[in-house]
Amino acid sequence: EPQMNIKNLKLTGLMMTVGLIAMVAAAACGGGDPEELDLPVRIEGGGMTPETIKVKQGDMVTLKIQADEPGEFHLHTYDVEADIDAATVNYFYFVADATGRFKITYHRQKEGEHEDGEEGEIEIGFVEVQPR
């Protein structure tokens, strides 16, 4: 009987080791750590490229936005907005803490004036935040 117990103990130890290795591997493959992302975005002709920006929860996202006309870039639900200048690269920063699909709108501005109201706002794309 003592021989049987030693075999069972070795088998149990082996199974626990394999299980631990599997858990560590799953953790390494699963979400991973949040990343710092710099993503180029173009706004022209009333559209955005890429149309959908995909990131993971916890990522620190900087959109490098170039636009063909000035306006206000608005990421809904996060409620973050920024004035965009057409003559330069604009940096738009947010931390992707909420998961889901969020609308991006652009409120065009004519030179020298700021449009008020919703009529100047167009939907140009989405940010998709996947769970990590």
Side-chain angles (χ1 to χ4, degrees), residues 40-63:
V41 173
R42 285 204 57 76
I43 300 171
E44 54 190 349
M48 183 178 82
T49 307
E51 190 173 314
T52 301
I53 297 162
K54 296 181 181 186
V55 298
K56 288 199 186 268
Q57 187 175 22
D59 285 347
M60 293 147 283
V61 182
T62 301
L63 302 180

Side-chain angles (χ1 to χ4, degrees), residues 107-121:
H107 192 107
R108 294 182 188 154
Q109 294 173 351
K110 302 214 180 355
E111 277 197 43
E113 70 175 78
H114 188 283
E115 292 180 28
D116 289 323
E118 295 294 311
E119 65 278 357
E121 189 174 75

Side-chain angles (χ1 to χ4, degrees), residues 23-100:
M23 287 190 330
V24 168
C29 293
D33 290 332
E35 295 181 52
E36 288 186 35
L37 304 173
D38 287 335
L39 305 172
V41 173
R42 285 204 57 76
I43 300 171
E44 54 190 349
M48 183 178 82
T49 307
E51 190 173 314
T52 301
I53 297 162
K54 296 181 181 186
V55 298
K56 288 199 186 268
Q57 187 175 22
D59 285 347
M60 293 147 283
V61 182
T62 301
L63 302 180
K64 297 194 283 190
I65 303 170
Q66 287 186 291
D68 62 351
E69 55 187 329
E72 185 179 79
F73 186 89
H74 184 190
L75 174 55
H76 288 252
T77 304
Y78 280 83
D79 210 21
V80 184
E81 47 194 51
D83 288 328
I84 303 299
D85 183 5
T88 185
V89 174
N90 301 265
Y91 296 89
F92 182 88
Y93 174 81
F94 69 99
V95 176
D97 50 7
T99 58

